[in-house]
Amino acid sequence: RERDAMSKLFKLKKWLTVPDAARHLSIAFGEEVSESDVLRFCLDGHLKLSVQLVNGGYARLRKPVEVADIQFDRVSNLDGSGYIDLPRNGSIRSDELGVFQVSREVTELEAAVWDLPLFAGERLDVEHRYQMLTGGPEVSTVYLDGALVQSTNGTLFELQEHFSDNKHFDKMNLNNPYLHADNFYPAGGLPQDSVLVVRTEALREFE
């Protein structure tokens, strides 16, 4: 009966929380699957993990770019002793995912479910939660470029935090308007008001 009830509810839902995903897999496999098991499946690349941004968020678009197409501006360095070349249209990221240019403009992300690449700061968050569930050590590593989320069509975004929420920042130095690009910096991880979830489509593929 429990399996039939879960099956009916499963068909109606687009995503499940991690504890509910563990319960669903336990019934489907006929053996206990814990919340930490689900996170490990995701961290090891077997299952796609997502996050519900309950109140939305702010981010900068991460656009794939060819190295030959990157444009630079030459500016004097701080002490005036020489010049440095800065990317004209935003910072450059080069990693296992490819080469990307991060837009200077800040985008408001809708309150919705976004996929997690589990490559940058978001991976550290999930690894930390896994360690806490299994009695492991605290994850203290920091990823300076922030956490990533991904739309269903594969577009990458770097999550941002507003300096007004940083207690160490002098609010007198904020720019107008609120969404001014210089008012934001890479988020240290996933928002506190977000919830890790697994899309039912991803669970079907995993099963």
Side-chain angles (χ1 to χ4, degrees):
R1 289 182 179 179
E2 184 180 21
R3 183 186 181 96
D4 291 341
M6 280 293 291
S7 178
K8 291 177 182 177
L9 288 173
F10 182 74
K11 291 176 182 177
L12 294 173
K13 294 184 176 182
K14 293 185 177 181
W15 52 265
L16 299 177
T17 63
V18 172
D20 282 345
R23 183 177 172 217
H24 171 80
L25 291 175
S26 295
I27 295 171
F29 294 156
E31 59 182 282
E32 171 133 14
V33 177
S34 67
E35 183 178 348
S36 62
D37 288 331
V38 174
L39 295 183
R40 194 71 255 164
F41 295 149
C42 297
L43 287 165
D44 290 346
H46 303 303
L47 177 63
K48 172 67 75 176
L49 186 65
S50 303
V51 64
Q52 183 191 23
L53 299 182
V54 176
N55 296 302
Y58 298 102
R60 299 183 200 265
L61 176 65
R62 218 188 208 225
K63 299 179 291 186
V65 63
E66 296 292 335
V67 174
D69 295 334
I70 300 173
Q71 296 179 319
F72 293 88
D73 289 321
R74 178 157 291 187
V75 298
S76 299
N77 57 22
L78 293 178
D79 61 9
S81 61
Y83 298 91
I84 55 175
D85 292 326
L86 296 177
R88 181 173 300 169
N89 298 312
S91 302
I92 301 298
R93 307 276 190 260
S94 179
D95 49 43
E96 293 179 21
L97 297 179
V99 179
F100 299 86
Q101 186 150 40
V102 182
S103 173
R104 295 189 190 281
E105 291 75 28
V106 173
T107 300
E108 290 189 68
L109 298 182
E110 63 179 351
V113 172
W114 298 79
D115 293 333
L116 295 176
L118 292 183
F119 181 79
E122 74 285 358
R123 182 180 183 86
L124 298 180
D125 266 12
V126 176
E127 183 67 52
H128 177 75
R129 297 189 196 195
Y130 171 80
Q131 294 297 337
M132 293 302 96
L133 287 170
T134 57
E138 180 179 347
V139 175
S140 57
T141 308
V142 176
Y143 192 86
L144 296 179
D145 293 336
L148 302 177
V149 296
Q150 191 171 32
S151 67
T152 53
N153 67 6
T155 304
L156 286 167
F157 294 90
E158 288 189 5
L159 293 176
Q160 303 288 302
E161 293 181 354
H162 199 275
F163 276 117
S164 64
D165 298 322
N166 189 323
K167 64 181 180 180
H168 302 294
F169 185 81
D170 185 351
K171 307 306 184 291
M172 295 296 293
N173 292 326
L174 288 172
N175 294 278
N176 284 316
Y178 182 86
L179 291 180
H180 192 288
D182 291 342
N183 288 340
F184 292 86
Y185 62 99
L190 297 172
Q192 293 293 321
D193 57 357
S194 64
V195 180
L196 292 178
V197 301
V198 183
R199 296 184 190 272
T200 50
E201 180 182 354
L203 281 168
R204 289 192 191 98
E205 291 177 2
F206 178 70
E207 291 177 50

